[in-house]
Amino acid sequence: DQQVKQNSPSLSVQEGRISILNCDYTNSMFDYFLWYKKYPAEGPTFLISISSIKDKNEDGRFTVFLNKSAKHLSLHIVPSQPGDSAVYFCAASERNTGNQFYFGTGTSLTVIP
Amino acid sequence: GAVVSQHPSRVICKSGTSVKIECRSLDFQATTMFWYRQFPKQSLMLMATSNEGSKATYEQGVEKDKFLINHASLTLSTLTVTSAHPEDSSFYICSASDRGHQPQHFGDGTRLSIL
């Protein structure tokens, strides 16, 4: 049972434009969400997180939005750069149950120069 | 730089071989490490939680005797795939957290191919 879903396996965006990556979850108990970025042949690297007490968290070009009622979060990258081309995973967890994270299937972002 | 080192990065071996994968936290102590498995075009699936000094906690459906986990020290956890078969071919990746519920640091993964 996939508790975290990324329905778009791939996304192509022109350099300088906004990239929007989406993620949906089913477990209403999730209260901590993260985005990871993964290059080929490397492990995922942490990008940005958001706690359920917030609906937005911003770090430079990256902003994560959380809509708890819709059980939806999104990652916005503005402006997109060719170096942003990678696979992006969202992950969710319920803090009280420990450190277990549930991952989406990933979205492959290609930023076209 | 990398804070979690995973070795080897690629293994190709014959069916029936046992394969050991190491996961090391380089500049922090990790009382808990995590082992994931990823099939093509699927998400990272948690296999087990490795606890230093105690037995690992396995997720439902993961065979304990097949995937042996040893967390011998605060910086090293190992996953041994015993008597590996072609269906065990997958991408295995470990992660560790240096404190509490902070974002996990991932190793670069191990691509295991069983012939």
Side-chain angles (χ1 to χ4, degrees):
Chain A
D1 181 28
Q2 192 76 23
Q3 297 194 55
V4 178
K5 299 178 183 179
Q6 293 175 257
N7 293 319
S8 298
S10 63
L11 174 69
S12 292
V13 172
Q14 206 72 34
E15 180 179 5
R17 299 289 192 103
I18 184 172
S19 294
I20 300 176
L21 297 99
N22 294 302
C23 179
D24 298 290
Y25 60 96
T26 57
N27 188 343
S28 59
M29 299 302 291
F30 287 150
D31 56 7
Y32 188 53
F33 306 87
L34 304 95
W35 283 94
Y36 282 89
K37 178 180 179 179
K38 184 181 182 302
Y39 293 114
E42 294 184 11
T45 55
F46 169 70
L47 196 57
I48 193 169
S49 67
I50 189 166
S51 166
S52 61
I53 62 173
K54 294 185 176 182
D55 54 17
K56 176 183 175 181
N57 188 26
E58 189 173 353
D59 183 3
R61 296 186 297 114
F62 302 92
T63 303
V64 55
F65 294 92
L66 175 62
N67 183 333
K68 290 185 287 294
S69 60
K71 297 193 187 71
H72 177 84
L73 67 155
S74 60
L75 174 68
H76 292 209
I77 306 174
V78 181
S80 300
Q81 299 174 355
D84 296 329
S85 297
V87 178
Y88 291 79
F89 292 94
C90 66
S93 75
E94 182 185 349
R95 290 185 197 251
N96 288 339
T97 63
N99 230 342
Q100 180 175 346
F101 285 88
Y102 295 86
F103 286 82
T105 50
T107 296
S108 178
L109 173 66
T110 302
V111 180
I112 304 166
Chain B
V3 295
V4 174
S5 173
Q6 188 171 340
H7 178 81
S9 59
R10 181 73 193 256
V11 179
I12 302 173
C13 57
K14 293 181 179 179
S15 183
T17 307
S18 291
V19 179
K20 180 184 282 189
I21 303 169
E22 292 187 349
C23 181
R24 294 181 184 272
S25 56
L26 298 182
D27 56 3
F28 65 95
Q29 293 183 331
T31 55
T32 305
M33 291 186 176
F34 305 88
W35 288 96
Y36 294 85
R37 182 175 181 176
Q38 185 183 25
F39 291 105
K41 298 184 179 180
Q42 295 189 23
S43 63
L44 295 169
M45 299 298 294
L46 181 66
M47 297 175 64
T49 303
S50 172
N51 305 297
E52 188 270 334
S54 64
K55 292 183 179 180
T57 304
Y58 290 82
E59 294 301 301
Q60 191 173 7
V62 179
E63 298 176 57
K64 300 178 182 180
D65 296 331
K66 176 73 172 179
F67 300 99
L68 300 179
I69 291 173
N70 185 292
H71 197 144
S73 74
L74 286 170
T75 59
L76 174 65
S77 175
T78 61
L79 168 68
T80 301
V81 184
T82 61
S83 187
H85 292 285
E87 59 266 28
D88 298 323
S89 298
S90 189
F91 184 69
Y92 294 87
I93 193 165
C94 70
S95 72
S97 179
D98 48 0
R99 52 196 169 106
H101 200 263
Q102 297 303 311
Q104 298 170 19
H105 303 288
F106 283 84
D108 285 342
T110 298
R111 174 71 60 191
L112 176 62
S113 299
I114 307 299
L115 305 176

